[in-house]
Amino acid sequence: MTEFAAYQSEIYLQGLSGVVPPFTTDPAGLAASARELLGPGPYWYVAGAAGSGATDRANRAAFDDWRIVPRMLTDATTRHLGVTVLGTEMPAPVLLAPIGVQSILHPDGELATARAAAELGVPFVLSTAASHTIEEVAEAAGDGARWFQLYWPDDPDVCVSLLSRARAAGYGVLVVTLDAWTLAWRPHDLDRAYLPFLRGVGTAIPFSDPAFRAGLDRAPEDDLPVAISRWVRLFTGTDRSWDRLDFLREHWDGPIVLKGIQHVDDARKAVDAGVSGIVVSNHGGRQVDGAVASLDVLPDIADAVGDHVEVLFDSGVRTGADVVKALALGAKAVLIGRPFAYGLAHDGQVGVRHVLRGLLADFDLTLGLSGHRSPAELSRDALRRAGAGGSGAW
Amino acid sequence: MTEFAAYQSEIYLQGLSGVVPPFTTDPAGLAASARELLGPGPYWYVAGAAGSGATDRANRAAFDDWRIVPRMLTDATTRHLGVTVLGTEMPAPVLLAPIGVQSILHPDGELATARAAAELGVPFVLSTAASHTIEEVAEAAGDGARWFQLYWPDDPDVCVSLLSRARAAGYGVLVVTLDAWTLAWRPHDLDRAYLPFLRGVGTAIPFSDPAFRAGLDRAPEDDLPVAISRWVRLFTGTDRSWDRLDFLREHWDGPIVLKGIQHVDDARKAVDAGVSGIVVSNHGGRQVDGAVASLDVLPDIADAVGDHVEVLFDSGVRTGADVVKALALGAKAVLIGRPFAYGLAHDGQVGVRHVLRGLLADFDLTLGLSGHRSPAELSRDALRRAGAGGSGAW
Amino acid sequence: MTEFAAYQSEIYLQGLSGVVPPFTTDPAGLAASARELLGPGPYWYVAGAAGSGATDRANRAAFDDWRIVPRMLTDATTRHLGVTVLGTEMPAPVLLAPIGVQSILHPDGELATARAAAELGVPFVLSTAASHTIEEVAEAAGDGARWFQLYWPDDPDVCVSLLSRARAAGYGVLVVTLDAWTLAWRPHDLDRAYLPFLRGVGTAIPFSDPAFRAGLDRAPEDDLPVAISRWVRLFTGTDRSWDRLDFLREHWDGPIVLKGIQHVDDARKAVDAGVSGIVVSNHGGRQVDGAVASLDVLPDIADAVGDHVEVLFDSGVRTGADVVKALALGAKAVLIGRPFAYGLAHDGQVGVRHVLRGLLADFDLTLGLSGHRSPAELSRDALRRAGAGGSGAW
Amino acid sequence: MTEFAAYQSEIYLQGLSGVVPPFTTDPAGLAASARELLGPGPYWYVAGAAGSGATDRANRAAFDDWRIVPRMLTDATTRHLGVTVLGTEMPAPVLLAPIGVQSILHPDGELATARAAAELGVPFVLSTAASHTIEEVAEAAGDGARWFQLYWPDDPDVCVSLLSRARAAGYGVLVVTLDAWTLAWRPHDLDRAYLPFLRGVGTAIPFSDPAFRAGLDRAPEDDLPVAISRWVRLFTGTDRSWDRLDFLREHWDGPIVLKGIQHVDDARKAVDAGVSGIVVSNHGGRQVDGAVASLDVLPDIADAVGDHVEVLFDSGVRTGADVVKALALGAKAVLIGRPFAYGLAHDGQVGVRHVLRGLLADFDLTLGLSGHRSPAELSRDALRRAGAGGSGAW
């Protein structure tokens, strides 16, 4: 019995006393269950996607295009799931993706998430658009591993200030999101004119920032509209270029990861730019409607960069099998997003923990039952294309 | 913030005062919303397709077969969407397709559409089967760019008269529809025996035409059945041949565009015939049931004609991503149809404007977020085939 | 205006007086509409398929795999749809397939079908399992073209008697069904234990046959169970072999068509056996569950036999586009089944006529609008495979 | 009329007295029908799958990727369906798969199943996790052929004891399940915390075993929790390796079959290990979510092992057509699972018998109507890939 699979036993054993899990263990059922709990604004802010939702659907369908080929009698009783990515040890190749404004899901927001992650040793990535400050979340996380996600503000002083705060608060890796420099056309939110930031939700980090406040005549708490307006101007609408990455490297002495890579040439540019990692991601289908499924480009990108940078993956991961597939196609670890957000919505820290334990148990069991003892054993040989033709490789 | 994306901000900001958009911003939701407003006759006249609807579904599915591959850090903050097609400048590569009998959707019909288009600077194409005359619509459009669509009447005098009226009223380009010389089998309309023309709706242009009236013993207003009968005889049932295009060139001194091209050989014939443009289109799936998806033939046709004619595209465009894909596959601009018609049904000029602004914002944001600054930067490299195999090009 | 397309105008014009078609003109809507009229036994006997229904679904999906590529400006105003198949002139390349026990759908059964077919000049194929005798149906058909379908009885005398009766009653072509020598596993009928024949429905032809009656001690009307038992023994459960076709050729001096061919080698054997035609068919998905779609094998079979036999097609034809596709892929004519049966269920002769006129109008308009003036102009060039890859032929 | 197809006639004839089948004959309808009878715990324990259910869906979809090409006039009137597999004669190439805890479906559990199997001569495979002992089930089976499935206990004495009991009780073949050495993540059961074993259901075989009892201080009936705990420890959580198969060969003098093979290399290892057969299976989608469809790997595996071992198949078989396809792709016989379990749920022995007779009739009719007289005549030539491209082999 591994540490992760233990959650399965725990559930079954509790059943003997008539206790069932706090909410569903079915990754496909989490959204439906969260939808019943949340108002349409918050629910769709998380569940919704850009435009017609085509990218979101493509992300999921892409996993179905690959199939695991289980191997037998490999003595997979004992498994070691831990990996180290950019100096961060993690008990399994899974991180919590940076999701903003988590307080719309639960009053404890990122604090609950950080605590649940720390309980399990799973690293989380704090979003620039969090509902709590860098420091508050660090305190909640305690010894838990944490990375910091940057929406790159259009003011060098604010940027430097955020980076130094994150570093000081123990965030070990900087994740720079490239694919969301302006918000996409999101009908679910537009139809409800629902954008939490405009009401001052998800602004804790800049509003608490000395450099940001220095640019205001009055403190945000005294003139919210002006602070929001400045925040929106700084954080959205401005794309960057490759040569400006130097600035970040100058002000961040740890590993830098670029999030949102979807083209092999951009992956190669990332290598040339000297960053330490990339996240192959389409922002969970929330930015470019009609974009390529993230998993569909992962193999080519992983081939292209080889060992020159660490390749992480997100967009569409829901199940243990998804994790196995992404790793087999070249990812060192994956980020999960909506599933833990739905857990948060259900019951704060307890809810996040339930979802995480379920996903890790599912991954552990799927890895083992497919005949592998560690993530390192996974390669493209573990998979086959779906359909009667299969891979043709045999 | 570009001019188009501004609509996104406007909606979110209005949300602070509790104001939400007049109706959905979701292109996939427009039809359902319009269906609630309209009677089944008008609704299905617009939404319905030929036969079993197979072509209509194929049109939509074809967009899903191609996927945008977003590029990062391209400095796409500032974008220029404008293009000039056949001498017509337009703020974005989008025109309003010629839809007839718009008064079944809203009493203002084409006048409302023309006004909304003019507000935004978007060109519209007036249908021969409009509910208002060439001159009335021109007046409503004011300085707005306008093209004239011809259902080629089987009477040279009437044809010449229509062309000269359109030219006099400032319509800059002639769009000759080739694929609707007779009406297809449309079960939705047949089941209701709903054909507006037979009740004198959508006959404003011929009924106001001196040459047409000259062929009648009594004016249409005095003997509607006879006028309708003559109108039906002149405008339907008669196919033409390539050598008869000379007649149009003789009587129209501006650019001529052939609408309904779906085969590379016909595209080549169009080049040989000396026209200025083609619209790759299957009439939105309303004519040949079981026909090839318009997008599926676009790349080959664009390759075949090169720069010899302007290639426009319609049939199935609903979202900003669709526009990006059609341009990347070779179109210079696209025509949208049903979406603006649904907008018209919702609220006349205001409704058309809402739909147009939404589509342009979506296109602008999708273009920018995929790393492009102008339509000219789009090429097939911006796309990848859907599925695990992808393009194979990398 | 062609003779067939005239039905479209007729419907629209009747709409001016508030008259709509007797029932839907939508081929996809016919089944749903018939289901409301009929009891579950008769409805599912017609609509149901073998086993899980996989073949039935495959038949329909196969049509979607091919797409018509319409051609423009081909001067298709005037069209000639008539063809001559095995000496039978028909106004369009469409016949009515042999469907048994039509009296479960309407009391007039095959008489109504024969009358409707005769009205329009469309040939019909009388099933051995009809509810009326060979002679009664011939009388109802009058001058209308008729073929006779044989379920090959396991008694030479009865077989010869049926053939001579059919010949005497003016049936011009013999259609020998090969794929239904025993009834398949049909859950819809089994769940209701519904088999009309066991109640003496659909036995008119053998029960009226002198040779069949000669094998009974008492006339069927005096001892129904024994007659039914003999009928079942003679007509089901016994497969034949190729060398036994000689017997039929000996006793039928007209053209012989083999129905149920699905493999190129069987098509070649049919040529070698000297028959005049084949029907590429899987019995509308009613016999072998999981069988190949009939349309999927048509092109190879048509190529294999060339001009050596006439190639007919059935299984899944519902729309005018379907007819166009089957002809383009090599069929000389198609047989339609369930659609006319649903028409019969709606209103006897009038219902069959409505369905037929609709299908012929749809075919005529689809043919013309795709740029063709006659069935002979259709070839594989008129089609393209569905999907972004298309045919690759351009 | 063959022995199997007779069930069809029996049903139709009973219809004359108003009698219909005890429950549906539609394989696709069995699950829905069982769901109405059973509580959600038992129903989902059987119907549910691992994780998101992707493997279960893939299993079914894989059958649709292959299509039977029926042949005509092959004189298939008389058919012989019997095969001999590893010394076991069976009337058709079908066995009942090992399903555990059948008493959750019906009080008679495996006894009913064994009786129904014996009635028809169909071999069954008894699960280690049965609700009745090896000996009780053997007695119920009487002369009926039986195989024994082993969940390999982590105690050599218990293992040897089980094997010798099975041998003594007339189980002819040992089926070693490789793919379920630990239980997968199964949301349906987890959500209800439903695991029958923890309540002592499905433990009859170990609890009655002398070697197992010898390891307990008190008999299971006196201390259920401790017995269950030992049972869980012995039977789950421990994977084996190829070199440990020697142990089984040493203690089982009959044929050994490895169940759960999904990779050609594992199939080759099975040959090298000297076993007599393999079951290509993914445990009906119940173990590795996202795994390859069992049918998708069957052809390559059958090619790889040739005649060196007997190739059996399970996972997804529901219809007669499925059996035909699996045999044509290389299986010597198939195991069916859920369908007979649903039959058991409906009416014990009578229900299993109804399902089995239906499946065998369906298989018999499908085999015959596709032109074959015996399983041995089936080869890949009997099939064609689905879709317009087909196999390309003609």
Side-chain angles (χ1 to χ4, degrees), chain D residues 266-280:
Chain D
D266 283 349
R268 291 190 189 104
K269 286 184 184 176
V271 172
D272 295 343
V275 300
S276 306
I278 58 175
V279 186
V280 177

mmCIF file with all atom_site columns, all heavy atoms in Angstrom, chain D residues 266-280:
data_model
loop_
_atom_site.group_PDB
_atom_site.id
_atom_site.type_symbol
_atom_site.label_atom_id
_atom_site.label_alt_id
_atom_site.label_comp_id
_atom_site.label_asym_id
_atom_site.label_entity_id
_atom_site.label_seq_id
_atom_site.pdbx_PDB_ins_code
_atom_site.Cartn_x
_atom_site.Cartn_y
_atom_site.Cartn_z
_atom_site.occupancy
_atom_site.B_iso_or_equiv
_atom_site.pdbx_formal_charge
_atom_site.auth_seq_id
_atom_site.auth_comp_id
_atom_site.auth_asym_id
_atom_site.auth_atom_id
_atom_site.pdbx_PDB_model_num
ATOM 1   N N   . ASP D 1 266 ? 4.393  -8.608  -23.755 1.00 0.00 ? 266 ASP D N   1
ATOM 2   C CA  . ASP D 1 266 ? 3.921  -9.465  -22.661 1.00 0.00 ? 266 ASP D CA  1
ATOM 3   C C   . ASP D 1 266 ? 3.358  -10.771 -23.212 1.00 0.00 ? 266 ASP D C   1
ATOM 4   O O   . ASP D 1 266 ? 3.504  -11.834 -22.592 1.00 0.00 ? 266 ASP D O   1
ATOM 5   C CB  . ASP D 1 266 ? 2.858  -8.733  -21.828 1.00 0.00 ? 266 ASP D CB  1
ATOM 6   C CG  . ASP D 1 266 ? 3.495  -7.712  -20.880 1.00 0.00 ? 266 ASP D CG  1
ATOM 7   O OD1 . ASP D 1 266 ? 4.734  -7.733  -20.729 1.00 0.00 ? 266 ASP D OD1 1
ATOM 8   O OD2 . ASP D 1 266 ? 2.755  -6.901  -20.293 1.00 0.00 ? 266 ASP D OD2 1
ATOM 9   N N   . ALA D 1 267 ? 2.732  -10.702 -24.376 1.00 0.00 ? 267 ALA D N   1
ATOM 10  C CA  . ALA D 1 267 ? 2.227  -11.933 -24.993 1.00 0.00 ? 267 ALA D CA  1
ATOM 11  C C   . ALA D 1 267 ? 3.403  -12.848 -25.329 1.00 0.00 ? 267 ALA D C   1
ATOM 12  O O   . ALA D 1 267 ? 3.345  -14.064 -25.110 1.00 0.00 ? 267 ALA D O   1
ATOM 13  C CB  . ALA D 1 267 ? 1.422  -11.595 -26.247 1.00 0.00 ? 267 ALA D CB  1
ATOM 14  N N   . ARG D 1 268 ? 4.462  -12.259 -25.855 1.00 0.00 ? 268 ARG D N   1
ATOM 15  C CA  . ARG D 1 268 ? 5.654  -13.074 -26.167 1.00 0.00 ? 268 ARG D CA  1
ATOM 16  C C   . ARG D 1 268 ? 6.259  -13.646 -24.890 1.00 0.00 ? 268 ARG D C   1
ATOM 17  O O   . ARG D 1 268 ? 6.706  -14.791 -24.867 1.00 0.00 ? 268 ARG D O   1
ATOM 18  C CB  . ARG D 1 268 ? 6.679  -12.220 -26.899 1.00 0.00 ? 268 ARG D CB  1
ATOM 19  C CG  . ARG D 1 268 ? 6.239  -11.841 -28.312 1.00 0.00 ? 268 ARG D CG  1
ATOM 20  C CD  . ARG D 1 268 ? 7.382  -11.203 -29.100 1.00 0.00 ? 268 ARG D CD  1
ATOM 21  N NE  . ARG D 1 268 ? 6.886  -10.670 -30.365 1.00 0.00 ? 268 ARG D NE  1
ATOM 22  C CZ  . ARG D 1 268 ? 6.677  -9.376  -30.610 1.00 0.00 ? 268 ARG D CZ  1
ATOM 23  N NH1 . ARG D 1 268 ? 6.948  -8.467  -29.688 1.00 0.00 ? 268 ARG D NH1 1
ATOM 24  N NH2 . ARG D 1 268 ? 6.207  -8.996  -31.778 1.00 0.00 ? 268 ARG D NH2 1
ATOM 25  N N   . LYS D 1 269 ? 6.272  -12.855 -23.823 1.00 0.00 ? 269 LYS D N   1
ATOM 26  C CA  . LYS D 1 269 ? 6.790  -13.374 -22.559 1.00 0.00 ? 269 LYS D CA  1
ATOM 27  C C   . LYS D 1 269 ? 5.945  -14.539 -22.068 1.00 0.00 ? 269 LYS D C   1
ATOM 28  O O   . LYS D 1 269 ? 6.473  -15.485 -21.476 1.00 0.00 ? 269 LYS D O   1
ATOM 29  C CB  . LYS D 1 269 ? 6.791  -12.271 -21.493 1.00 0.00 ? 269 LYS D CB  1
ATOM 30  C CG  . LYS D 1 269 ? 7.890  -11.238 -21.690 1.00 0.00 ? 269 LYS D CG  1
ATOM 31  C CD  . LYS D 1 269 ? 7.889  -10.240 -20.539 1.00 0.00 ? 269 LYS D CD  1
ATOM 32  C CE  . LYS D 1 269 ? 8.912  -9.136  -20.777 1.00 0.00 ? 269 LYS D CE  1
ATOM 33  N NZ  . LYS D 1 269 ? 8.865  -8.104  -19.733 1.00 0.00 ? 269 LYS D NZ  1
ATOM 34  N N   . ALA D 1 270 ? 4.647  -14.459 -22.287 1.00 0.00 ? 270 ALA D N   1
ATOM 35  C CA  . ALA D 1 270 ? 3.775  -15.551 -21.873 1.00 0.00 ? 270 ALA D CA  1
ATOM 36  C C   . ALA D 1 270 ? 4.147  -16.827 -22.621 1.00 0.00 ? 270 ALA D C   1
ATOM 37  O O   . ALA D 1 270 ? 4.189  -17.921 -22.043 1.00 0.00 ? 270 ALA D O   1
ATOM 38  C CB  . ALA D 1 270 ? 2.309  -15.180 -22.127 1.00 0.00 ? 270 ALA D CB  1
ATOM 39  N N   . VAL D 1 271 ? 4.422  -16.688 -23.908 1.00 0.00 ? 271 VAL D N   1
ATOM 40  C CA  . VAL D 1 271 ? 4.862  -17.854 -24.682 1.00 0.00 ? 271 VAL D CA  1
ATOM 41  C C   . VAL D 1 271 ? 6.156  -18.397 -24.085 1.00 0.00 ? 271 VAL D C   1
ATOM 42  O O   . VAL D 1 271 ? 6.275  -19.595 -23.823 1.00 0.00 ? 271 VAL D O   1
ATOM 43  C CB  . VAL D 1 271 ? 5.076  -17.468 -26.159 1.00 0.00 ? 271 VAL D CB  1
ATOM 44  C CG1 . VAL D 1 271 ? 5.725  -18.632 -26.918 1.00 0.00 ? 271 VAL D CG1 1
ATOM 45  C CG2 . VAL D 1 271 ? 3.753  -17.076 -26.816 1.00 0.00 ? 271 VAL D CG2 1
ATOM 46  N N   . ASP D 1 272 ? 7.087  -17.504 -23.842 1.00 0.00 ? 272 ASP D N   1
ATOM 47  C CA  . ASP D 1 272 ? 8.367  -17.931 -23.291 1.00 0.00 ? 272 ASP D CA  1
ATOM 48  C C   . ASP D 1 272 ? 8.200  -18.594 -21.924 1.00 0.00 ? 272 ASP D C   1
ATOM 49  O O   . ASP D 1 272 ? 8.951  -19.505 -21.569 1.00 0.00 ? 272 ASP D O   1
ATOM 50  C CB  . ASP D 1 272 ? 9.324  -16.745 -23.162 1.00 0.00 ? 272 ASP D CB  1
ATOM 51  C CG  . ASP D 1 272 ? 9.684  -16.177 -24.533 1.00 0.00 ? 272 ASP D CG  1
ATOM 52  O OD1 . ASP D 1 272 ? 9.463  -16.881 -25.552 1.00 0.00 ? 272 ASP D OD1 1
ATOM 53  O OD2 . ASP D 1 272 ? 10.170 -15.030 -24.601 1.00 0.00 ? 272 ASP D OD2 1
ATOM 54  N N   . ALA D 1 273 ? 7.222  -18.109 -21.175 1.00 0.00 ? 273 ALA D N   1
ATOM 55  C CA  . ALA D 1 273 ? 7.008  -18.657 -19.840 1.00 0.00 ? 273 ALA D CA  1
ATOM 56  C C   . ALA D 1 273 ? 6.339  -20.024 -19.894 1.00 0.00 ? 273 ALA D C   1
ATOM 57  O O   . ALA D 1 273 ? 6.161  -20.677 -18.868 1.00 0.00 ? 273 ALA D O   1
ATOM 58  C CB  . ALA D 1 273 ? 6.165  -17.698 -19.011 1.00 0.00 ? 273 ALA D CB  1
ATOM 59  N N   . GLY D 1 274 ? 5.939  -20.431 -21.075 1.00 0.00 ? 274 GLY D N   1
ATOM 60  C CA  . GLY D 1 274 ? 5.413  -21.780 -21.225 1.00 0.00 ? 274 GLY D CA  1
ATOM 61  C C   . GLY D 1 274 ? 3.963  -21.959 -20.807 1.00 0.00 ? 274 GLY D C   1
ATOM 62  O O   . GLY D 1 274 ? 3.522  -23.079 -20.586 1.00 0.00 ? 274 GLY D O   1
ATOM 63  N N   . VAL D 1 275 ? 3.206  -20.845 -20.722 1.00 0.00 ? 275 VAL D N   1
ATOM 64  C CA  . VAL D 1 275 ? 1.799  -21.040 -20.395 1.00 0.00 ? 275 VAL D CA  1
ATOM 65  C C   . VAL D 1 275 ? 1.057  -21.521 -21.626 1.00 0.00 ? 275 VAL D C   1
ATOM 66  O O   . VAL D 1 275 ? 1.586  -21.503 -22.742 1.00 0.00 ? 275 VAL D O   1
ATOM 67  C CB  . VAL D 1 275 ? 1.155  -19.742 -19.851 1.00 0.00 ? 275 VAL D CB  1
ATOM 68  C CG1 . VAL D 1 275 ? 1.874  -19.296 -18.582 1.00 0.00 ? 275 VAL D CG1 1
ATOM 69  C CG2 . VAL D 1 275 ? 1.153  -18.662 -20.909 1.00 0.00 ? 275 VAL D CG2 1
ATOM 70  N N   . SER D 1 276 ? -0.180 -21.927 -21.415 1.00 0.00 ? 276 SER D N   1
ATOM 71  C CA  . SER D 1 276 ? -0.939 -22.524 -22.516 1.00 0.00 ? 276 SER D CA  1
ATOM 72  C C   . SER D 1 276 ? -1.842 -21.531 -23.218 1.00 0.00 ? 276 SER D C   1
ATOM 73  O O   . SER D 1 276 ? -2.286 -21.774 -24.338 1.00 0.00 ? 276 SER D O   1
ATOM 74  C CB  . SER D 1 276 ? -1.798 -23.663 -21.979 1.00 0.00 ? 276 SER D CB  1
ATOM 75  O OG  . SER D 1 276 ? -1.017 -24.588 -21.275 1.00 0.00 ? 276 SER D OG  1
ATOM 76  N N   . GLY D 1 277 ? -2.157 -20.451 -22.542 1.00 0.00 ? 277 GLY D N   1
ATOM 77  C CA  . GLY D 1 277 ? -3.073 -19.497 -23.171 1.00 0.00 ? 277 GLY D CA  1
ATOM 78  C C   . GLY D 1 277 ? -2.962 -18.131 -22.545 1.00 0.00 ? 277 GLY D C   1
ATOM 79  O O   . GLY D 1 277 ? -2.363 -17.959 -21.472 1.00 0.00 ? 277 GLY D O   1
ATOM 80  N N   . ILE D 1 278 ? -3.509 -17.157 -23.245 1.00 0.00 ? 278 ILE D N   1
ATOM 81  C CA  . ILE D 1 278 ? -3.605 -15.799 -22.701 1.00 0.00 ? 278 ILE D CA  1
ATOM 82  C C   . ILE D 1 278 ? -5.010 -15.289 -22.953 1.00 0.00 ? 278 ILE D C   1
ATOM 83  O O   . ILE D 1 278 ? -5.693 -15.726 -23.884 1.00 0.00 ? 278 ILE D O   1
ATOM 84  C CB  . ILE D 1 278 ? -2.590 -14.836 -23.350 1.00 0.00 ? 278 ILE D CB  1
ATOM 85  C CG1 . ILE D 1 278 ? -2.782 -14.778 -24.887 1.00 0.00 ? 278 ILE D CG1 1
ATOM 86  C CG2 . ILE D 1 278 ? -1.152 -15.244 -23.015 1.00 0.00 ? 278 ILE D CG2 1
ATOM 87  C CD1 . ILE D 1 278 ? -1.901 -13.752 -25.581 1.00 0.00 ? 278 ILE D CD1 1
ATOM 88  N N   . VAL D 1 279 ? -5.445 -14.373 -22.092 1.00 0.00 ? 279 VAL D N   1
ATOM 89  C CA  . VAL D 1 279 ? -6.677 -13.644 -22.366 1.00 0.00 ? 279 VAL D CA  1
ATOM 90  C C   . VAL D 1 279 ? -6.290 -12.189 -22.609 1.00 0.00 ? 279 VAL D C   1
ATOM 91  O O   . VAL D 1 279 ? -5.787 -11.521 -21.704 1.00 0.00 ? 279 VAL D O   1
ATOM 92  C CB  . VAL D 1 279 ? -7.684 -13.707 -21.194 1.00 0.00 ? 279 VAL D CB  1
ATOM 93  C CG1 . VAL D 1 279 ? -8.998 -13.059 -21.624 1.00 0.00 ? 279 VAL D CG1 1
ATOM 94  C CG2 . VAL D 1 279 ? -7.921 -15.141 -20.761 1.00 0.00 ? 279 VAL D CG2 1
ATOM 95  N N   . VAL D 1 280 ? -6.476 -11.752 -23.832 1.00 0.00 ? 280 VAL D N   1
ATOM 96  C CA  . VAL D 1 280 ? -6.288 -10.337 -24.152 1.00 0.00 ? 280 VAL D CA  1
ATOM 97  C C   . VAL D 1 280 ? -7.471 -9.614  -23.516 1.00 0.00 ? 280 VAL D C   1
ATOM 98  O O   . VAL D 1 280 ? -8.619 -9.826  -23.905 1.00 0.00 ? 280 VAL D O   1
ATOM 99  C CB  . VAL D 1 280 ? -6.235 -10.110 -25.667 1.00 0.00 ? 280 VAL D CB  1
ATOM 100 C CG1 . VAL D 1 280 ? -6.117 -8.632  -25.979 1.00 0.00 ? 280 VAL D CG1 1
ATOM 101 C CG2 . VAL D 1 280 ? -5.069 -10.888 -26.264 1.00 0.00 ? 280 VAL D CG2 1
#
